Amino acid sequence: MASPDLVTITDDNFQTEVLGSDVPVLVDFWATWCGPCRAIAPSIEELAKEYKGRVKIGKMDIDAHPGVPQKYSIMSIPTLILFKGGQVADQVIGAVPKNKLDAMIKKSL
């Protein structure tokens, strides 16, 4: 991950970084071999910079950390789930445009 504004989410830190977060968290479930995941990566990085301090945005490699994706029944990637107060608030599947993700985040603020 190129952006210092993105958080690396793992099976080990998911509880603390996502479920225990005081701010909404958008988690990008992705894999290195996934073309659509790479296609939306620049948008994810831009959103992380734009919402820094208000929303946490992180990426979770489903191959390196399969536990959480299995718990949330991630069947297709990219899947982006917005968590608020430790609960799933919204979810999108696929390489959606940045404005759709932006609208999803704004709804949670």
Side-chain angles (χ1 to χ4, degrees), residues 7-101:
V7 177
T8 300
I9 308 293
T10 67
D11 283 339
D12 293 335
N13 73 8
F14 184 82
Q15 178 69 40
T16 305
E17 291 287 349
V18 179
L19 301 182
S21 178
D22 293 337
V23 297
V25 184
L26 179 66
V27 180
D28 175 13
F29 293 90
W30 72 291
T32 54
W33 48 263
C34 169
C37 299
R38 290 193 308 273
I40 65 165
S43 294
I44 301 296
E45 290 177 13
E46 288 172 26
L47 289 167
K49 184 180 276 188
E50 290 170 24
Y51 285 98
K52 187 175 184 171
R54 297 184 295 152
V55 176
K56 189 184 296 184
I57 299 182
K59 293 175 76 78
M60 180 170 220
D61 183 333
I62 65 161
D63 290 331
H65 306 281
V68 170
Q70 185 175 10
K71 179 181 176 190
Y72 287 93
S73 302
I74 305 299
M75 305 296 271
S76 299
I77 54 172
T79 292
L80 295 106
I81 300 179
L82 184 68
F83 293 86
K84 186 174 184 179
Q87 300 294 317
V88 174
D90 208 346
Q91 175 175 330
V92 294
I93 299 171
V96 297
K98 180 184 172 196
N99 64 341
K100 184 166 183 175
L101 296 174

